[in-house]
Structure formats: C-alpha cells, structure tokens
Amino acid sequence: ALLVVPITERKNIVSNVGSVRSQGFEADFMGVVSPEVRFTSSLSYNDAHYLRFANGPAVEGAALPTQDLSGRPLLMAPAWTMFAGLRYTHPIAPGVNVFVDGELLLRSGYYGYVDDSSYSRVSGMRIGNLQLGLTVQRVDVSLWVDNVSDERVFTPVFPAPTGAGGYMATPLVPRTFGLTVRYAVEN
C-alpha cells in the first residue's frame, strides 16, 4: 500500500507501507417510534493496523529518520464511532409544528499523524448538538447549539513546519449558538 501524508503545503511524505489490515463492522438503524418521533443511529468498529511498515517515519524530533510501525494502529482510524439522533415533531396548529432535534457523536481516540507519536494522539470525544425550532408552512426557524458540552479536542494533527520537531493541531469548534431561518421553495 502506498501512503501519502501531507505535512505542509510544500512537503509530503511518500512511503511504501508493506501491508495493512482493517476489519470490523458497521451498523445503521433508522426508525419511526411514533408519527412524532424519528430515531437514527450508527455504530462502527474498526480494527485497523499496519501489518508491515518497517520504514515508517520517525517521531518528530527523533535522531533516526525511520521507525518500525508494524503492528501499530493505522493513521486517523478510531476503533469506535457511534452516532445517535432523535427528532421530535409536534403539531400545535394547522401547518404549524414545533420540533426538537438532539444528536450525539462518540468517537474513540486515534493517532492523528502517521508516526503514532503520543503527541499526535487525538483523544476520544463526545459531541452533542441540540436544536429547537418552529415550522410554519414552508418556513423553519430554529435555535441551535453545537458542541453543547464545549468539548475541547484537537484535530487534525500535523508536524510543526519549523523543522525542529513538535506537532500542531486545529481545535474543534467550541460551543456555538445560532439561529437558522429556512424557506422551502415549491417545485
């Protein structure tokens, strides 16, 4: 397998990975609990490892240029990912509905950069989103909050462009509030 990992805008790592193995499962479920309640969920497990990767890039700042990553977890491959969403809609007058949406995303930790350094480890996360809205005919108005618990995680991870070792990462968007107005155009 050929692995190309962008480091910066000007430099890429191109390395020949001997072999990888990814095995697991994914299950999706959608259901209507009642005319007012819809449920969506998914669960996946991914056991992804380098089987042979003797010439893997060394940890940033290391004296040696390569390391043996055979048997180590694959880059950006969380073992577990789970999503659950619930939508409750209730009519309050002809053509007028209120709705509440809730979503939860859980993901286990993973290595954010190909060298599997502990400094490139992205911790597991739990992200919840909520939305409360009103639909009047073809207009939706909703108040929402994303990342309800203000989860602080960094992703993606990449080497610092200084050449002196170290890593940089982009933080996940913090708790965010908003108002959305939508108008559905008839066909």
Side-chain angles (χ1 to χ4, degrees):
L2 183 65
L3 178 69
V4 178
V5 178
I7 294 178
T8 66
E9 293 178 20
R10 296 181 309 242
K11 181 179 170 189
N12 286 334
I13 285 180
V14 177
S15 184
N16 189 6
V17 176
S19 61
V20 298
R21 180 190 71 209
S22 176
Q23 57 188 7
F25 67 86
E26 181 176 349
D28 296 315
F29 175 77
M30 292 176 51
V32 177
V33 178
S34 72
E36 297 177 332
V37 180
R38 287 184 298 160
F39 179 75
T40 305
S41 67
S42 64
L43 176 67
S44 66
Y45 173 73
N46 184 20
D47 177 20
H49 289 81
Y50 301 107
L51 293 178
R52 287 190 329 272
F53 194 9
N55 63 335
V59 171
E60 284 298 300
L64 298 174
T66 64
Q67 66 174 321
D68 187 355
L69 291 170
S70 301
R72 299 285 302 155
L74 200 61
L75 161 73
M76 294 175 32
W80 290 98
T81 304
M82 192 276 295
F83 171 82
L86 186 68
R87 181 174 180 111
Y88 173 74
T89 305
H90 184 74
I92 57 174
V96 181
N97 296 309
V98 294
F99 62 89
V100 177
D101 278 331
E103 299 175 335
L104 179 63
L105 171 66
L106 303 171
R107 185 173 63 201
S108 62
Y110 60 92
Y111 287 96
Y113 189 66
V114 67
D115 62 10
D116 278 5
S117 164
S118 60
Y119 296 110
S120 75
R121 183 85 179 153
V122 175
S123 61
M125 65 181 206
R126 298 165 310 278
I127 303 295
N129 303 321
L130 292 173
Q131 182 177 357
L132 172 64
L134 180 69
T135 302
V136 180
Q137 302 297 330
R138 296 181 304 181
V139 177
D140 280 358
V141 178
S142 62
L143 294 169
W144 51 265
V145 58
D146 286 348
N147 192 2
V148 173
S149 63
D150 202 22
E151 185 83 8
R152 300 298 172 117
V153 216
F154 293 92
T155 185
V157 177
F158 48 93
T162 62
Y167 299 84
M168 294 175 51
T170 304
L172 187 70
V173 175
R175 182 183 306 124
T176 307
F177 300 89
L179 171 70
T180 301
V181 178
R182 290 188 184 106
Y183 177 76
V185 178
E186 286 189 52
N187 291 336

